[in-house]
Amino acid sequence: MIVNKKGLYITHTISGLIILLSYSCTNNSVEMGRQDSFTLNSSHTESTYSIHVTLPNNYSSSEVYETIYTLDGNWYFDHVSEESFRISEQKSKQNEIVVGINHADRRMIDYAPTPTNEGEGGAANFTRFINEELIPYIEEHFQADTTRKSRAILGHSAGGLYAAYLFTNQNDLFANYFMLSPAIWYDDGVLLQYERDNRSKNELSEQTVFISKAELEPTQLFMNIFHDRLEMYDQISLGFYTVKGKQHASSAKPAITEALKFYYSLKEK
Amino acid sequence: MKFFLSIVLILLINSVSYSQKSTSIIEKKASSIETTLGSDIVYRAHLSGLVKYNIFKNITIATQTNLARSYKSMGEIVSISSDNFQSINFTYTQRFGVGVVIGKERFNHTFLVMAGPKYYHLKETHNYTQIEEASTTVSTWFPDAGFLYSLKIGKQDSYFTTQLYVPFLLYPDNLMGITLSVGIGFPIIK
């Protein structure tokens, strides 16, 4: 096949320019507060976690701030920090301390309530790390409010499963739960059993729960059932959102944005 | 979005440049229909019909009808008991596209950029005695776009073909949209 070399040269040059133009970026930087990073060793999980913290941009040592703990921090901490700042500014609400917990390649150990082919059932030990090591560290070193109602936990997929586990089995730690595409199907829906077992105790607590699912993901039945169960709770502010046209993983960031919009809309200040 | 539009533009521009002063045997207008059977990389079987028509030298337009259905239960993929939970999903996609054919009449490669609407249907049921809800159903339309490669081997009234479809936006969870299929093609107009 003989082709026009001059024509090829021109088209390849145009192609390269198109590629360069397509990668031109707009400035989307967000002016947030100071950020801090450190590692924490856990005696309960025998593992070391990288922790990242974003402080509100008007952070003051004379104030106390509410806190959002983000699971899979290595994936979602930046997005949660940026969206928390942006949405709180939009709604004229006080921004919060955002804490990101990197999963250290242990997510299917730490986030799994029971041992199965997919996970190793380390959620109980990870909860001890959160309750006895991480939260005390955050509240000692930063101006974090120490009450249950001031703490939020955010997780997607296995992280959402763990957030649901905290809701059912350790409801005294957090009052605000963002369960994004939570893996409620895990171990034949063991979370549904936990919810039923602990319902009489948990339904008396005032709390906020936001559940999201992707329109195109499987195992939605379990998420629907979990949501329907929580609708029976008297003291709950419940949000349920479907990310249209998205599958499981690609729904995470849009779901985070919607979760934070829901959360800040409910806050008084 | 800019990146994918740029890919489309690049393919169109390059297909035009390759079609100029080409002495490929594929210069005459011709059309064919290819029926293939294949699978994605996880759990859906795909049945496709691809109609191609050469409009100018090596430039071809095409339309593809694709039907896909899950053939594995969720219990074979994750820790859910297949005896208690059933999940079926199927899709119908109608794609339209344009591209370039490279090679000879007996052995050639077709590269197409395809796009079109996709219908998705999911139905899930369970019979766990300790769980109250019985089923859920999702039905929705959404856009689908990607690259389609088709290999033709043969010159007779029928020929062997294999196709590979790769969606745009592979990351993070469109890897399941990659489909490999094989089948038979028939010339319609020579």
Side-chain angles (χ1 to χ4, degrees):
Chain A
M1 181 175 66
I2 298 173
V3 298
N4 183 327
K5 286 188 180 177
K6 183 179 178 184
L8 275 179
Y9 175 78
I10 292 171
T11 55
H12 289 162
T13 304
I14 294 172
S15 304
L17 286 173
I18 291 171
I19 291 175
L20 283 174
L21 285 172
S22 72
Y23 276 104
S24 66
C25 55
T26 55
N27 185 4
N28 287 324
S29 64
V30 176
E31 288 188 29
M32 301 178 294
R34 178 172 64 91
Q35 293 194 317
D36 200 358
S37 299
F38 51 91
T39 56
L40 271 185
N41 296 320
S42 173
S43 60
H44 298 297
T45 65
E46 297 181 346
S47 187
T48 300
Y49 297 90
S50 292
I51 308 295
H52 304 275
V53 178
T54 301
L55 301 174
N57 58 333
N58 56 353
Y59 184 75
S60 166
S61 57
S62 59
E63 301 281 337
V64 288
Y65 301 92
E66 301 185 11
T67 316
I68 300 173
Y69 290 81
T70 306
L71 300 166
D72 291 321
N74 27 346
W75 295 344
Y76 304 125
F77 169 72
D78 287 342
H79 187 69
V80 173
S81 296
E82 291 166 4
E83 290 296 277
S84 179
F85 172 79
R86 183 181 67 81
I87 293 167
S88 63
E89 291 279 294
Q90 261 180 11
K91 297 184 180 294
S92 301
K93 301 290 171 65
Q94 173 59 58
N95 191 15
E96 304 190 359
I97 297 172
V98 177
V99 179
I101 311 165
N102 283 18
H103 59 239
D105 294 328
R106 289 177 53 89
R107 64 194 309 266
M108 293 318 296
I109 302 173
D110 291 338
Y111 299 168
T114 52
T116 66
N117 290 338
E118 288 88 28
E120 297 185 25
N125 284 337
F126 188 64
T127 302
R128 291 188 195 95
F129 159 69
I130 300 264
N131 186 24
E132 298 172 19
E133 295 169 324
L134 177 62
I135 289 178
Y137 185 96
I138 295 294
E139 293 176 355
E140 178 186 341
H141 291 82
F142 302 97
Q143 294 296 113
D145 192 325
T146 59
T147 59
R148 170 185 177 267
K149 70 176 179 61
S150 70
R151 297 191 204 113
I153 182 86
L154 183 150
H156 175 264
S157 186
L161 169 70
Y162 179 70
Y165 170 84
L166 286 175
F167 174 85
T168 57
N169 290 40
Q170 195 79 49
N171 192 265
D172 57 333
L173 272 185
F174 297 89
N176 307 282
Y177 301 84
F178 308 128
M179 308 168 194
L180 313 179
S181 290
I184 306 294
W185 55 263
Y186 184 84
D187 197 5
D188 273 334
V190 69
L191 252 297
L192 297 176
Q193 177 189 326
Y194 291 166
E195 186 280 326
R196 180 166 283 170
D197 293 344
N198 295 292
R199 183 186 302 160
S200 58
K201 178 181 53 169
N202 293 337
E203 65 182 353
L204 301 175
S205 303
E206 198 170 325
Q207 51 208 331
T208 300
V209 176
F210 181 90
I211 303 171
S212 74
K213 61 177 183 175
E215 185 179 33
L216 306 177
E217 68 177 317
T219 67
Q220 294 186 34
L221 178 58
F222 291 91
M223 297 178 222
N224 292 348
I225 294 170
F226 192 66
H227 165 261
D228 291 347
R229 295 256 186 103
L230 298 193
E231 278 193 318
M232 296 187 288
Y233 287 43
D234 287 332
Q235 302 292 322
I236 201 166
S237 296
L238 182 61
F240 193 38
Y241 181 76
T242 300
V243 186
K244 296 287 187 187
K246 296 290 187 183
Q247 300 193 52
H248 179 70
S250 55
S251 72
K253 289 188 176 178
I256 287 171
T257 300
E258 289 304 315
L260 292 172
K261 283 182 184 174
F262 175 79
Y263 176 60
Y264 280 108
S265 296
L266 293 174
K267 299 180 76 62
E268 291 176 356
K269 60 175 181 174
Chain B
M1 190 58 166
K2 277 190 289 187
F3 175 71
F4 299 114
L5 285 174
S6 69
I7 296 294
V8 172
L9 280 172
I10 289 164
L11 279 173
L12 285 174
I13 290 168
N14 279 276
S15 65
V16 169
S17 74
Y18 273 104
S19 72
Q20 292 173 6
K21 291 195 177 180
S22 167
T23 59
S24 165
I25 291 176
I26 308 173
E27 293 185 0
K28 51 193 174 184
K29 290 187 179 178
S31 73
S32 61
I33 182 168
E34 297 172 1
T35 57
T36 58
L37 186 63
S39 174
D40 61 30
I41 63 174
V42 181
Y43 72 134
R44 287 199 195 104
H46 289 251
L47 177 65
S48 293
L50 176 69
V51 178
K52 297 188 290 185
Y53 182 68
N54 272 29
I55 56 173
F56 175 72
K57 293 189 185 282
N58 289 11
I59 307 298
T60 189
I61 58 174
T63 181
Q64 183 190 47
T65 302
N66 177 280
L67 300 170
R69 189 191 187 279
S70 55
Y71 59 82
K72 278 186 185 179
S73 68
M74 289 306 297
E76 296 177 68
I77 303 171
V78 295
S79 62
I80 302 176
S81 168
S82 301
D83 293 337
N84 294 327
F85 177 77
Q86 292 79 39
S87 177
I88 296 173
N89 66 77
F90 68 82
T91 62
Y92 157 67
T93 312
Q94 190 64 50
R95 301 185 184 114
F96 303 90
V98 63
V100 61
V101 181
I102 299 174
K104 299 184 178 178
E105 189 175 347
R106 183 178 303 183
F107 182 92
N108 60 60
H109 313 271
T110 304
F111 299 91
L112 295 159
V113 174
M114 307 286 287
K118 174 179 274 190
Y119 173 75
Y120 172 82
H121 180 83
L122 169 74
K123 181 168 176 135
E124 296 180 328
T125 57
H126 76 79
N127 54 6
Y128 293 100
T129 53
Q130 67 272 32
I131 302 177
E132 55 277 16
E133 185 171 330
S135 69
T136 195
T137 303
V138 176
S139 297
T140 188
W141 288 90
F142 62 98
D144 177 83
F147 297 104
L148 178 65
Y149 164 77
S150 172
L151 170 68
K152 173 192 173 185
I153 301 175
K155 193 184 170 183
Q156 307 301 325
D157 291 339
S158 64
Y159 57 85
F160 171 80
T161 182
T162 184
Q163 294 172 4
L164 174 68
Y165 179 75
V166 179
F168 294 156
L169 286 172
L170 268 181
Y171 182 81
D173 48 16
N174 261 341
L175 288 174
M176 282 197 300
I178 298 174
T179 308
L180 182 64
S181 51
V182 296
I184 303 172
F186 306 92
I188 300 176
I189 302 172
K190 290 188 179 178

